[in-house]
Amino acid sequence: MDDDSGSLFSALMGRLFRKTDDSEVERFILEAQRDGELRGEESAMLLNVLRLSRRQVTEIMIPRTDIVCAPADNSIEEMALLIAESGHSRIPVYRKNRDNMVGIVHAKDVLRALTQPDEFPRPARAETIMREPLFIPETKNVYDMLQVFRSNKIHLAIALDEYGGTSGLVTFEDVLEEIVGEIEDEYDTPRPEDIQTLEDGSVLVSGRTPLEELDERMGLSLTSDQVETVSGFLCELAGRVPDPEESFAIDGHTLTVKEADAKQIHWIVLRRGDSPAARNH
Ligand code: ADP
């Protein structure tokens, strides 16, 4: 970044974080890019910052079923294995079930406990070394989430649903990715693409794909006031979680459930055209 665009960039960041009228700032950024005062990636980042306050934690969190967690009475050795296997450095721990998270175990505390048996007499348990979790409502917007991470100096939070149950997990890295794009550290297992074209021309779609993204990529017009994802959309249509192989004819396309569990659809296959077996919507 040269000096001029550097100072413009920080001036814009200042304005964004003071929350000026969004559409005015958006126009300003796009004009600056058109005039060559901002580079493409700079304006993309700034637009992403603007959008933070329009996105909810639910849209970026790791859903409850994918959280790597453990019972609070697990031994320190079991925690060490879980950290090594999963590659995650912080593991939420629960009592009874995942809806009752009671602490977060950090890899460095596990290391300390393993190497200082005098201070942590055996049998040492996860609950001996766990730290207090940061809980936030799943409806929090991502901009506010960033502020919470900054003010608490804690970079992992457990999102709760309206009944106080665990809804997901969100980290500082998830928020940063909303601004700068996907970050992969040396321990991250790459997540499969949400939308993949298969050899026969059909398209494999992850259930967690936002409706807006699918519409944009596939030229569909699926909308809902209630749900954000394709899985949520089909569950809403069916009034329950549809079974694998169930098909829906929507918008000139057939959406067939490929993989689902009791709570959500994981994968859907999308084909152009109607199939006789599909339910019409
Ligand atoms: P780590 O390097 O310990 O995995 P990061 O904050 O760098 O932690 O997060 C990387 C990604 O892994 C993020 O998408 C985050 O939500 C996810 N993640 C972190 N901890 C866990 C966990 N215990 N279970 C599932 N996903 C996790």
Side-chain angles (χ1 to χ4, degrees):
M1 213 186 292
D2 61 34
D3 274 357
D4 269 3
S5 76
S7 53
L8 182 63
F9 189 76
S10 18
L12 276 167
M13 282 307 253
R15 283 184 72 178
L16 295 179
F17 277 105
R18 279 200 300 279
K19 288 209 171 175
T20 333
D21 173 31
D22 276 8
S23 55
E24 188 208 331
V25 184
E26 220 164 86
R27 216 175 36 246
F28 186 51
I29 296 169
L30 291 170
E31 272 169 23
Q33 187 192 344
R34 250 193 322 271
D35 298 345
E37 292 172 59
L38 281 174
R39 286 205 298 257
E41 67 267 30
E42 290 165 352
S43 61
M45 263 172 66
L46 290 167
L47 291 171
N48 286 343
V49 172
L50 265 190
R51 288 172 193 142
L52 290 185
S53 55
R54 287 184 239 143
R55 308 204 69 196
Q56 275 195 356
V57 162
T58 38
E59 295 173 58
I60 66 163
M61 68 187 187
I62 302 291
R64 163 200 158 101
T65 41
D66 293 350
I67 301 178
V68 176
C69 52
D73 59 0
N74 254 22
S75 69
I76 297 291
E77 288 77 10
E78 283 171 314
M79 296 308 292
L81 272 178
L82 196 53
I83 289 168
E85 276 166 11
S86 69
H88 294 304
S89 52
R90 289 155 301 180
I91 308 288
V93 294
Y94 56 81
R95 293 214 174 91
K96 285 206 176 114
N97 61 46
R98 282 168 186 250
D99 272 329
N100 188 28
M101 297 294 188
V102 292
I104 309 292
V105 167
H106 288 237
K108 50 188 160 194
D109 295 331
V110 170
L111 276 182
R112 198 170 306 132
L114 283 176
T115 51
Q116 299 171 3
D118 294 346
E119 221 183 295
F120 299 92
R122 295 295 181 268
R125 308 255 158 233
E127 55 206 336
T128 326
I129 59 164
M130 69 190 183
R131 301 183 191 197
E132 205 166 315
L134 172 64
F135 292 110
I136 48 109
E138 63 177 4
T139 50
K140 188 171 275 307
N141 78 51
V142 178
Y143 178 85
D144 290 344
M145 189 67 247
L146 182 63
Q147 305 306 324
V148 171
F149 280 143
R150 290 173 65 186
S151 57
N152 284 278
K153 300 193 177 70
I154 291 181
H155 289 171
L156 180 149
I158 303 289
L160 299 178
D161 63 24
E162 58 189 311
Y163 307 106
T166 303
S167 166
L169 170 155
V170 62
T171 74
F172 192 63
E173 181 178 303
D174 297 318
V175 176
L176 271 192
E177 283 182 348
E178 290 306 300
I179 305 174
V180 300
E182 200 75 14
I183 303 169
E184 262 179 36
D185 72 25
E186 52 273 60
Y187 297 106
D188 283 356
T189 8
R191 201 161 114 168
E193 288 286 320
D194 279 346
I195 301 178
Q196 305 166 40
T197 305
L198 303 178
E199 270 177 17
D200 65 359
S202 61
V203 178
L204 186 63
V205 182
S206 154
R208 65 182 151 214
T209 312
L211 284 177
E212 217 175 290
E213 188 182 337
L214 187 70
D215 285 353
E216 216 174 279
R217 296 261 304 266
M218 305 303 301
L220 300 175
S221 47
L222 312 183
T223 50
S224 165
D225 293 334
Q226 309 295 328
V227 296
E228 309 269 348
T229 64
V230 188
S231 166
F233 182 79
L234 293 183
C235 294
E236 195 188 18
L237 269 186
R240 59 186 167 77
V241 182
D243 296 320
E245 302 309 324
E246 265 188 72
S247 288
F248 299 79
I250 308 165
D251 234 3
H253 290 73
T254 303
L255 281 77
T256 306
V257 177
K258 187 171 158 60
E259 205 183 295
D261 63 22
K263 294 197 188 119
Q264 57 191 319
I265 304 173
H266 296 295
W267 292 102
I268 295 141
V269 174
L270 185 144
R271 287 187 182 83
R272 234 171 258 285
D274 292 341
S275 134
R279 280 209 262 159
N280 266 301
H281 292 279

